[in-house]
Amino acid sequence: MISYLQHLSFWDWLAFGTLLLILEVFGAGGYLLWLGIAAAGVGVLSYLFPALPWTWQFLLFGLFSVLSAVLWWRRQRSAAKPSEQPGLNQRGQELLGRQFVLHEAINAGRGKIKAGDSLWLVSGPDLPAGTAVRVVGQDGVLLKVEAL
């Protein structure tokens, strides 16, 4: 085994890097991408410096792996920005503050409004159907309303 390590060529590193990148395609979630790139980098260095000892090759592989992963992580963190649509995928949030007409009367604190093509359960003071209301809050799928 030691004799194999002492005679590592750049082809070994490039093959290892290619194998890691192929495995990444099958859904590793980005983890093997940086290892594959690091292995390819060591392959290029061992091509440029053929007398590079195997211990240095492994140390460079470890260094490149950690360095590339940390740099990518920092880039991802700095590129993250708040959404331009903060209520996206939060049904009902877009209804806050809007006015509707009661579709079904509020009896015992529960009724319904029609918003677009959907009926929403509402809670509030007892009001007859046809009363104008404003949405003032949300509790899960239940909208809280008040009379206008």
Side-chain angles (χ1 to χ4, degrees), residues 11-28:
W11 287 114
D12 295 317
W13 285 106
L14 293 179
F16 182 53
T18 302
L19 176 68
L20 289 171
L21 292 175
I22 289 171
L23 291 174
E24 174 63 35
V25 170
F26 291 111

Side-chain angles (χ1 to χ4, degrees), residues 2 5 7 9-10 26 28 30 41 46 66 71 74 112 129 133 136 142:
I2 250 338
L5 291 176
H7 296 95
S9 72
F10 68 95
F26 291 111
S46 63
V66 171
L71 288 175
R74 289 186 68 204
K112 291 183 182 178
V133 293
V136 294
L142 185 68

Side-chain angles (χ1 to χ4, degrees), residues 29 32 39 42 46 63 88 91 93 96-97 118 124 133 135:
L32 298 179
V42 173
S46 63
L63 178 71
L88 187 64
R91 292 208 58 203
Q93 291 291 317
L96 292 177
S118 302
V133 293
V135 178

Side-chain angles (χ1 to χ4, degrees), residues 1 3 11 26 34 59 62 68 74 79 86 88 93 101-102 111 116-117 120 125 129-130 144:
M1 179 71 171
S3 66
W11 287 114
F26 291 111
W34 305 112
L59 287 173
S68 62
R74 289 186 68 204
L88 187 64
Q93 291 291 317
V101 175
L102 280 176
D117 62 352
W120 285 82
K144 297 176 182 179

Side-chain angles (χ1 to χ4, degrees), residues 19-89:
L19 176 68
L20 289 171
L21 292 175
I22 289 171
L23 291 174
E24 174 63 35
V25 170
F26 291 111
Y31 299 109
L32 298 179
L33 174 67
W34 305 112
L35 296 176
I37 290 173
V42 173
V44 168
L45 283 177
S46 63
Y47 176 76
L48 295 174
F49 305 103
L52 193 64
W54 68 272
T55 53
W56 278 100
Q57 291 177 25
F58 277 94
L59 287 173
L60 286 172
F61 174 68
L63 178 71
F64 288 167
S65 297
V66 171
L67 186 64
S68 62
V70 167
L71 288 175
W72 179 252
W73 178 76
R74 289 186 68 204
R75 184 197 175 285
Q76 289 295 92
R77 294 276 315 239
S78 67
K81 62 179 180 174
S83 174
E84 294 174 4
Q85 299 174 344
L88 187 64
N89 293 332

